[in-house]
């Protein structure tokens, strides 16, 4: 039997006194795809980073264990050995391509760097090879994109550049750490199809780290399930999905947003939008004419009290721009009426008062919370602005009440965001939004950064709160399974326009446009 491309034996990883990985053992054969799954903090990424010795040493240590790549020991390897393996025998694709690419260098320079370093190519030859690689990963207008900077590319384009960089030296093993989490469903499907094709062409092994079990089912030959640093189950993909043995694996498979939103009792429209347009200025063109880009084009809808409107579409379709326009965080034309008030006609003082009734929950629960403020300060900040008559004790009582309502403990209010998990931080963001007892919430991708089981918890929480307080939601998401569980009505956006709208049942059961059909196919057929 041939030597596996990767062999991990009894790997332990400590961060100080904290044991992050506890005796993990796994192998990956040539051409095989092995998925490592589990929730955040389970040790998936720490295990993968250990392969290339990319952990922050000496803070991270390996009390025991062995990692070999084609028989070559990685733990304790010399700098020369690691240099010969990294990017040549083993390459890695990271979760967020924007932060993984250097914002100061062009695509050509970043791909060419690895070719010149490992292959000794001249700049001219490296550029030609970089163009071949971009064409191989099916990047449109590859020659033009060579001179582009990362911020000039979309999320899917940046991920294709990352794949091209990873494949530059035709590695034996590709480690893909959540390679599609930040991408829309249709782009996810294209990237996964691309990885499959390239893997077959190159005879490459793939270590896929993901919390999305739909992706794992479509891609992997075998699955390794991790929780709290331990590998609790390893089996073929078919066996894992048909007859999981470990209770944690069963929990993961069951952790998907289920059910439907609560029925709408009111016939009263809370939000009315007519012919909404949002333009972005692009500077001046010929003869001093102002150029503009229309991000939202003549969009109209109404939303009843207690109802959820799901807004779906790919990146750049105008979903978030719509949400920000409703919040009056962007200038717009057309009519926005919320609870009888025309938003564009409000003075600054009136708008400030109105905002107590309109709140927002953002996509990234960590980035949207100040790391310098405690929960009491974060959740109570709106009360200081909009209800200054409250005493300190009354404000603290309101914060305690809303923390309990979202499933946190009042005793945690003096702690800081970094002391909580991703799901808990999103609960904090929801508590902050609820503190002022609003009628209307804009939810901008509130579950996309969360694990599947945490997603399901947050969906249940949002539905429960909606029913209790008759809240109205604008729910923006590219995760159609979550939208299905949350929305009464749906609008599908593409290039700033609504291409289809209707009830959730109509859109999911009988989509009319080709674009909506493609979205549904990408989300549910894996």
């Amino acid at each position: 039997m041939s030597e596996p491309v990767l062999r991990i034996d009894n790997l332990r990883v400590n961060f100080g006194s904290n044991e992050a990985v506890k005796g993990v053992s796994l192998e990956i054969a040539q051409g095989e795809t092995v998925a490592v799954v589990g929730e955040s903090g389970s040790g998936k990424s720490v295990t993968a980073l250990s392969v290339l010795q990319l952990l922050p040493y000496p803070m991270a240590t390996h009390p025991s264990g062995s990692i070999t790549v084609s028989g070559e020991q990685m733990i304790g390897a010399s700098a020369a050995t690691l240099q010969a393996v990294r990017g040549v025998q083993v390459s890695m694709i990271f979760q967020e391509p924007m932060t993984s690419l250097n914002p100061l260098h062009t695509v050509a320079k970043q791909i060419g760097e690895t070719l010149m370093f490992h292959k000794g190519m001249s700049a001219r030859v490296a550029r030609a090879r970089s163009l071949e690689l971009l064409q191989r990963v099916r990047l449109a207008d590859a020659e033009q994109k060579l001179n582009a900077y990362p911020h000039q590319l979309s999320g899917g384009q940046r991920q294709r550049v990352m794949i091209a960089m990873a494949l530059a030296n035709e590695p034996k093993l590709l480690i893909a750490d959540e390679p599609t989490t930040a991408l829309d469903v249709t782009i996810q499907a294209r990237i996964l199809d691309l990885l499959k094709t390239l893997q077959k062409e190159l005879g490459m092994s793939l270590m896929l780290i993901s919390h999305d079990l739909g992706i794992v089912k479509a891609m992997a030959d075998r699955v390794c399930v991790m929780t709290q640093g331990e590998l609790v189950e390893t089996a073929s993909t078919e066996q894992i999905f048909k007859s999981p043995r470990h209770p944690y694996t069963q929990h993961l498979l069951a952790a998907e947003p289920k059910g439907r939103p609560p029925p709408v009792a009111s016939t009263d429209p809370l939000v009315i939008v007519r012919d909404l347009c949002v333009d972005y200025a692009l500077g001046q063109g010929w003869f001093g004419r102002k150029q503009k880009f229309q991000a939202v084009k003549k969009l109209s809808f109404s939303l009843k009290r207690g109802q959820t409107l799901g807004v779906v579409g790919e990146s750049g379709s105008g979903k978030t721009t719509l949400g920000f326009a409703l919040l009056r965080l962007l200038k717009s034309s057309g009519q926005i009426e919320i609870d009888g008030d025309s938003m564009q006609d409000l003075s600054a003082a009136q708008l400030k008062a109105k905002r107590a009734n309109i709140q927002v929950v953002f996509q990234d629960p960590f980035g949207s919370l100040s790391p310098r403020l405690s929960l009491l300060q974060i959740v109570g900040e709106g009360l200081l602005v909009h209800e200054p008559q409250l005493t300190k004790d009354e404000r603290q009582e309101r914060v305690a009440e809303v923390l309990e309502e979202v499933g946190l403990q009042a005793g945690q209010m003096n702690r800081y965001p970094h002391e909580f998990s991703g799901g808990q931080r999103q609960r904090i963001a929801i508590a902050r939004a609820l503190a002022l007892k609003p009628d209307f919430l804009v939810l901008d991708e509130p579950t996309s950064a969360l694990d599947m089981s945490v997603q399901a918890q947050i969906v249940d929480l949002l539905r429960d709160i909606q029913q209790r307080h008759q809240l109205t939601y604008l729910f923006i998401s590219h995760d159609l399974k979550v939208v299905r569980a949350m929305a009464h009505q749906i609008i599908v956006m593409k290039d700033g326009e609504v291409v289809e709208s209707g009830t959730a049942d109509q859109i999911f059961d009988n989509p009319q446009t080709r674009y909506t059909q493609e979205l549904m196919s990408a989300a549910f057929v894996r």
Side-chain angles (χ1 to χ4, degrees):
M1 189 175 177
S2 61
E3 178 76 23
V5 173
L6 175 68
R7 174 177 282 146
I8 300 176
D9 288 320
N10 193 34
L11 177 69
R12 293 182 181 274
V13 182
N14 287 0
F15 287 87
S17 59
N18 178 39
E19 195 172 21
V21 174
K22 308 169 185 177
V24 165
S25 298
L26 64 90
E27 292 183 356
I28 302 179
Q30 183 177 349
E32 185 182 28
T33 299
V34 174
V36 184
V37 304
E39 294 172 303
S40 293
S42 62
K44 309 186 300 293
S45 293
V46 172
T47 300
L49 291 168
S50 296
V51 174
L52 289 171
Q53 297 291 281
L54 293 176
L55 292 174
Y57 302 105
M59 185 192 304
T61 59
H62 297 296
S64 68
S66 166
I67 302 173
T68 58
V69 174
S70 298
E72 187 85 50
Q73 180 60 240
M74 292 290 100
I75 295 179
S78 66
T81 299
L82 291 174
Q83 185 175 302
V85 171
R86 291 172 179 164
V88 181
Q89 294 191 58
V90 183
S91 285
M92 191 162 185
I93 303 170
F94 297 95
Q95 178 172 350
E96 179 44 71
M98 187 62 183
T99 54
S100 304
L101 295 169
N102 191 321
L104 301 177
H105 295 311
T106 63
V107 168
K109 186 168 183 179
Q110 295 190 62
I111 301 176
E113 186 178 36
T114 187
L115 293 166
M116 289 187 282
F117 184 81
H118 290 290
K119 300 285 190 183
M121 291 182 181
S122 67
R124 185 179 60 80
V125 173
R127 184 179 177 87
R129 172 64 176 150
S130 298
L131 177 58
E132 286 177 24
L133 287 163
L134 292 181
Q135 290 169 339
R136 191 170 198 173
V137 299
R138 304 174 198 161
L139 184 66
D141 301 320
E143 195 158 2
Q144 289 183 327
K145 297 297 192 294
L146 277 174
N147 297 316
Y149 290 87
H151 72 274
Q152 296 174 304
L153 306 177
S154 70
Q157 289 171 335
R158 287 193 291 263
Q159 198 61 293
R160 287 176 191 271
V161 170
M162 283 291 299
I163 294 170
M165 287 175 66
L167 298 181
N169 296 300
E170 301 191 352
K172 295 178 181 177
L173 171 66
L174 179 64
I175 300 173
D177 188 0
E178 300 279 8
T180 60
T181 298
L183 305 177
D184 298 318
V185 287
T186 49
I187 299 171
Q188 279 186 9
R190 292 173 200 146
I191 293 295
L192 294 173
D193 178 61
L194 173 64
L195 284 174
K196 271 185 175 180
T197 302
L198 292 171
Q199 183 185 16
K200 190 174 181 181
E201 286 177 5
L202 299 171
M204 184 174 59
S205 304
L206 180 63
M207 182 180 186
L208 176 66
I209 298 166
S210 182
H211 66 253
D212 188 326
L213 297 179
I215 290 173
V216 169
K217 189 175 183 180
M219 293 286 292
D221 300 310
R222 284 190 300 120
V223 180
C224 299
V225 183
M226 290 187 69
T227 180
Q228 297 180 346
E230 295 184 274
L231 187 58
V232 295
E233 186 167 2
T234 301
S236 69
T237 303
E238 184 179 9
Q239 184 178 326
I240 288 288
F241 281 88
K242 282 190 175 177
S243 54
R245 295 177 181 175
H246 196 276
Y248 179 74
T249 310
Q250 295 165 4
H251 159 75
L252 274 185
L253 292 172
E256 184 177 288
K258 296 182 177 68
R260 296 293 180 264
V264 180
S266 173
T267 56
D268 226 2
L270 180 78
V271 181
I272 299 172
V273 175
R274 292 194 186 96
D275 296 329
L276 181 69
C277 296
V278 181
D279 298 334
Y280 289 106
L282 297 178
Q284 290 190 338
W286 290 100
F287 308 110
R289 290 178 183 171
K290 290 183 178 178
Q291 294 181 312
K292 64 181 182 179
F293 167 70
Q294 199 163 36
V296 174
K297 307 169 186 176
K298 287 193 171 294
L299 187 148
S300 300
F301 65 85
S302 66
L303 189 51
K304 296 173 187 173
R305 194 178 297 273
Q307 190 177 46
T308 298
L309 175 66
V311 184
V312 302
E314 295 176 308
S315 291
S317 61
K319 306 188 300 293
T320 298
T321 299
L322 165 63
F324 281 11
L326 296 185
L327 294 164
R328 280 288 306 274
L329 296 174
L330 288 173
K331 287 184 179 180
S332 61
S333 61
Q335 182 182 351
I336 302 171
E337 188 179 301
I338 299 179
D339 202 13
D341 292 322
S342 176
M343 297 296 289
Q344 285 100 329
D345 297 334
L346 298 179
S347 67
Q350 290 171 326
L351 181 60
K352 179 181 174 181
K354 185 70 176 177
R355 281 197 168 130
N357 200 37
I358 308 165
Q359 293 292 302
V360 60
V361 178
F362 295 100
Q363 176 173 356
D364 180 0
F366 195 62
S368 63
L369 302 175
S370 172
R372 295 183 175 88
L373 300 182
S374 67
L375 264 62
L376 175 60
Q377 293 168 311
I378 288 169
V379 178
E381 190 173 22
L383 298 172
L384 282 171
V385 175
H386 292 285
E387 299 186 33
Q389 75 280 6
L390 294 178
T391 66
K392 183 179 177 181
D393 287 345
E394 286 171 335
R395 192 165 59 251
Q396 189 164 317
E397 187 178 328
R398 179 83 72 85
V399 170
E401 180 184 307
V402 74
L403 287 177
E404 297 279 359
E405 186 167 24
V406 300
L408 297 169
Q409 297 171 10
Q412 297 174 315
M413 69 171 65
N414 292 315
R415 292 169 62 183
Y416 290 81
H418 73 270
E419 299 178 75
F420 295 88
S421 69
Q424 288 173 320
R425 286 195 289 260
Q426 198 59 294
R427 288 174 188 268
I428 295 165
I430 294 168
R432 176 176 61 183
L434 293 178
L436 290 165
K437 301 182 179 179
D439 288 326
F440 180 45
L441 276 185
V442 174
L443 300 158
D444 188 6
E445 301 275 12
T447 62
S448 66
L450 306 176
D451 294 321
M452 297 286 279
S453 59
V454 182
Q455 276 188 3
Q457 293 166 19
I458 295 298
V459 166
D460 288 342
L461 171 66
L462 288 169
R463 287 192 306 216
D464 180 52
I465 291 169
Q466 182 175 42
Q467 194 159 27
R468 264 185 277 145
H469 300 293
Q470 278 298 289
L471 286 171
T472 305
Y473 294 153
L474 183 84
F475 192 88
I476 299 166
S477 184
H478 66 251
D479 190 329
L480 298 185
K481 292 180 181 178
V482 174
V483 172
R484 187 73 178 97
M486 283 294 301
H488 300 94
Q489 297 283 131
I490 292 173
I491 59 174
V492 182
M493 293 188 68
K494 185 177 189 295
D495 299 329
E497 297 181 289
V498 174
V499 296
E500 189 165 353
S501 64
T503 66
D505 288 340
Q506 287 170 346
I507 297 294
F508 280 91
D509 296 341
N510 188 26
Q512 297 298 302
T513 67
R514 184 174 178 180
Y515 178 70
T516 309
Q517 291 163 2
E518 287 174 358
L519 284 179
M520 297 298 163
S521 176
F524 294 102
V525 182
R526 278 182 178 151

